[in-house]
């Protein structure tokens, strides 16, 4: 286990077995395949019976990485160093997209001629199960220092990075998907979260989508990613510490208490069903930011019931369509799924999706400038109440 949220301390961490939170098994049909360089690929189909025997015939070299993580003792967190990613594919023409199906003699990352949802290991991963720590850059023939200097700690970048393709349609977006397709995407997220949580080196599974060149995407095909970290990231760790302190003081879940307070206030609620609430948080950092919360206290995607997953598909799709209705052009956004760590503090976490955009007005972006990047203090240009009203009133096609 790696420090920075992963080391249990007496009286601070509560261990809950994953089986205690297990939800309904996924209904999508999963087919596993291997790419030419040995990376795993998984097809997810809404119905059984689809032929997924296509082979990857490309001549690919074995994937190698020199990723490592370095400890920042001042900020009490890990930093991933992945210099090999500088050579990754960057905004290729549409007819050369590596996430399209393999058709007309052109081989891509997906061997099939068509697909519904596909997940595969990233060819340029920030973290890898096979990562090996390279030579110490601080060690020279004329220099001596301890083998494990706590101020200059580094480890191999062990973990996993996967790509999630939502559709074979290059020109589509998540908001244009059918509800049934979103249910299949959720099944894929659930399955991959379960499988990655089971890896001994993994402490946190993070599901997310970057949408739009303004966000920094390098491929325009509609897709998301899954990172399996060997530590609990600082944002999740800080939330867990806050929820622990609140529970120790009140005996209640901080997430549940915040959700109840927002529902009572009402002004920042975007949409509600019997099972989910969509809310712009009271202290929103981004111009347009909304969180999707299950009303039931549940730690992660795999713990959702079948009814909750079905309802989530509609609620989440509705929110992304509202985001896309805010401006004349597609809204750039990040969608981040906050789940419980793999092993510890699972009872403290409350699953939620955080969707936010850096666009503050048509043609204007919110940059993380001096206050945000230098001091860590967010300055929001739009009041959360106004953002919630605009999202509520956004026309849905």
């Amino acid at each position: 286990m790696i420090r920075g949220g992963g080391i249990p301390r007496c009286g601070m961490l509560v261990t809950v077995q994953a089986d205690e939170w297990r939800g309904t098994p996924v209904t999508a049909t999963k087919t596993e395949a291997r790419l030419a360089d040995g990376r795993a690929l998984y097809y997810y189909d809404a119905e059984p019976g689809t032929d997924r025997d296509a082979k990857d015939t490309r001549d690919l070299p074995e994937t190698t990485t020199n990723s490592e993580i370095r400890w920042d003792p001042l900020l009490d967190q890990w930093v991933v160093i992945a210099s090999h990613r500088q050579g990754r594919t960057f905004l290729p023409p549409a007819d050369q997209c590596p996430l399209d199906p393999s058709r007309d003699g052109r081989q891509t990352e997906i061997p099939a001629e068509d697909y519904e949802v596909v997940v595969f290991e990233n060819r340029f991963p920030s973290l890898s199960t096979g990562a090996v720590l390279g030579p110490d850059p601080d060690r020279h023939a004329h220099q001596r220092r301890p083998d494990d200097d706590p101020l200059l700690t580094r480890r191999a970048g062990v973990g996993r990075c996967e790509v999630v393709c939502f559709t074979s349609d290059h020109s589509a977006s998540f908001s244009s998907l059918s509800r049934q397709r979103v249910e299949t995407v959720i099944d894929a997220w659930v399955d991959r979260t379960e499988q990655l949580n089971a890896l001994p080196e993994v402490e946190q599974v993070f599901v997310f989508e970057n949408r739009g060149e303004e966000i920094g995407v390098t491929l325009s095909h509609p897709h998301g990613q899954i990172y399996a970290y060997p530590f609990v990231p600082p944002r999740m760790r800080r939330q867990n510490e806050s929820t622990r302190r609140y529970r120790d003081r009140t005996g209640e879940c901080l997430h549940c208490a915040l959700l109840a307070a927002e529902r009572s206030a009402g002004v920042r609620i975007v949409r509600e069903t019997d099972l989910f609430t969509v809310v712009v948080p009271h202290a929103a950092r981004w111009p347009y930011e909304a969180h999707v919360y299950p009303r039931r206290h549940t730690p992660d995607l795999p713990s959702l019931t079948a009814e909750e997953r079905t309802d989530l598909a509609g609620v989440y799709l509705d929110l992304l369509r509202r985001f896309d209705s805010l401006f004349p052009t597609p809204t750039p956004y990040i969608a981040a799924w906050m789940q419980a760590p793999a092993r510890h503090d699972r009872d403290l976490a409350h699953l939620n999706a955080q969707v936010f955009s850096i666009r503050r007005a048509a043609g204007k972006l919110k940059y993380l400038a001096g206050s945000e990047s230098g001091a860590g203090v967010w300055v929001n240009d739009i009041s959360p109440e106004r953002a919630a009203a605009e999202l509520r009133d956004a026309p849905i096609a």
Side-chain angles (χ1 to χ4, degrees), residues 117-120 162-166 185 188-189 222-226:
V117 178
V118 166
V119 180
F120 62 89
E162 298 183 341
V163 178
V164 185
C165 295
F166 306 135
V185 171
W189 287 341
H223 73 286
Q225 299 182 66
I226 303 175

Side-chain angles (χ1 to χ4, degrees), residues 104-215:
D104 304 323
R106 188 175 74 88
Q107 297 294 307
T108 69
E109 289 281 67
I110 297 96
E113 292 185 353
D114 198 10
Y115 64 83
E116 294 182 19
V117 178
V118 166
V119 180
F120 62 89
E121 288 184 79
N122 198 322
R123 190 176 177 185
F124 304 96
S126 300
L127 302 163
S128 172
T129 53
V132 177
L133 188 63
D136 187 343
D138 297 331
R139 186 177 297 282
H140 305 286
H142 63 279
Q143 182 182 36
R144 289 178 175 272
R145 74 174 181 86
D147 288 338
D148 193 12
D149 188 330
L151 296 179
L152 301 173
T153 300
R154 53 194 288 269
R155 298 283 185 268
V158 175
R160 182 114 158 186
C161 294
E162 298 183 341
V163 178
V164 185
C165 295
F166 306 135
T167 171
S168 62
D169 183 356
H170 183 89
S171 61
S173 65
F174 201 112
S175 64
S176 71
L177 300 179
S178 68
R179 181 165 175 161
Q180 182 184 42
R181 176 59 54 83
V182 176
E183 291 180 17
T184 304
V185 171
I186 292 173
D187 274 357
W189 287 341
V190 167
D191 179 69
R192 297 314 303 148
T193 297
E194 285 186 325
Q195 296 299 312
L196 294 172
N197 270 345
L199 296 178
E201 64 270 22
V202 170
E203 294 294 331
Q204 179 81 53
V205 175
F206 178 48
V207 176
F208 64 100
E209 180 194 0
N210 298 327
R211 195 280 187 93
E213 289 187 30
E214 300 94 330
I215 294 294

Side-chain angles (χ1 to χ4, degrees), residues 74-391:
L74 286 175
L75 294 181
D76 192 36
Q77 67 185 57
W78 291 97
V79 175
V80 179
I81 310 296
S83 57
H84 62 279
R85 284 172 48 82
Q86 282 282 51
R88 66 187 184 275
T89 306
F90 181 78
L91 297 177
D95 61 356
Q96 298 178 31
C97 177
L99 304 186
D100 286 351
S102 293
R103 294 174 181 163
D104 304 323
R106 188 175 74 88
Q107 297 294 307
T108 69
E109 289 281 67
I110 297 96
E113 292 185 353
D114 198 10
Y115 64 83
E116 294 182 19
V117 178
V118 166
V119 180
F120 62 89
E121 288 184 79
N122 198 322
R123 190 176 177 185
F124 304 96
S126 300
L127 302 163
S128 172
T129 53
V132 177
L133 188 63
D136 187 343
D138 297 331
R139 186 177 297 282
H140 305 286
H142 63 279
Q143 182 182 36
R144 289 178 175 272
R145 74 174 181 86
D147 288 338
D148 193 12
D149 188 330
L151 296 179
L152 301 173
T153 300
R154 53 194 288 269
R155 298 283 185 268
V158 175
R160 182 114 158 186
C161 294
E162 298 183 341
V163 178
V164 185
C165 295
F166 306 135
T167 171
S168 62
D169 183 356
H170 183 89
S171 61
S173 65
F174 201 112
S175 64
S176 71
L177 300 179
S178 68
R179 181 165 175 161
Q180 182 184 42
R181 176 59 54 83
V182 176
E183 291 180 17
T184 304
V185 171
I186 292 173
D187 274 357
W189 287 341
V190 167
D191 179 69
R192 297 314 303 148
T193 297
E194 285 186 325
Q195 296 299 312
L196 294 172
N197 270 345
L199 296 178
E201 64 270 22
V202 170
E203 294 294 331
Q204 179 81 53
V205 175
F206 178 48
V207 176
F208 64 100
E209 180 194 0
N210 298 327
R211 195 280 187 93
E213 289 187 30
E214 300 94 330
I215 294 294
V217 298
T218 57
L219 296 172
S220 58
H221 193 108
H223 73 286
Q225 299 182 66
I226 303 175
Y227 275 25
Y229 296 104
F231 50 82
V232 178
R235 185 173 176 84
M236 291 75 161
R237 177 159 55 99
R238 188 173 182 179
Q239 288 189 8
N240 288 340
E241 290 168 351
S242 296
T243 55
R244 182 188 295 107
R245 288 194 299 269
Y246 188 84
R247 188 184 64 179
D248 290 346
R249 188 171 72 251
T250 68
E252 298 179 352
C253 166
L254 177 56
H255 294 278
C256 294
L258 282 171
L259 184 57
E262 289 287 10
R263 296 187 67 223
S264 177
V267 67
R268 287 175 295 276
I269 300 296
V270 176
R271 187 192 173 196
E272 285 199 287
T273 68
D274 290 340
L275 301 177
F276 286 89
T277 296
V278 180
V279 58
V280 175
H282 169 74
R285 290 179 163 142
W286 301 95
Y288 295 93
E289 175 181 351
H291 297 183
V292 182
Y293 267 98
R295 300 269 287 275
R296 180 176 68 94
H297 181 88
T298 188
D300 55 14
L301 288 162
S303 65
L304 294 173
T305 65
E307 183 182 11
E308 287 171 328
R309 291 177 194 167
T310 299
D311 195 45
L312 175 59
V315 169
Y316 187 62
L317 188 58
D318 174 87
L319 177 60
L320 294 189
R321 288 174 176 172
R322 291 177 188 275
F323 265 80
D324 262 353
S325 297
L326 290 172
F327 305 106
T329 58
T331 301
Y333 65 77
I334 293 174
W337 289 87
M338 312 299 285
Q339 303 194 81
R343 268 161 276 282
H344 301 281
D345 283 356
R346 291 185 55 78
D347 56 333
L348 293 176
H350 189 134
L351 170 70
N352 64 95
Q354 301 184 2
V355 182
F356 53 90
S357 178
I358 63 172
R359 183 177 288 171
R360 58 187 176 88
K364 298 179 181 179
L365 301 180
K366 166 63 179 178
Y367 292 101
L368 298 189
S371 185
E372 294 86 0
S373 297
V377 178
W378 257 248
V379 179
N380 194 346
D381 302 292
I382 296 178
S383 74
E385 294 73 30
R386 173 185 159 189
E390 290 187 31
L391 284 168

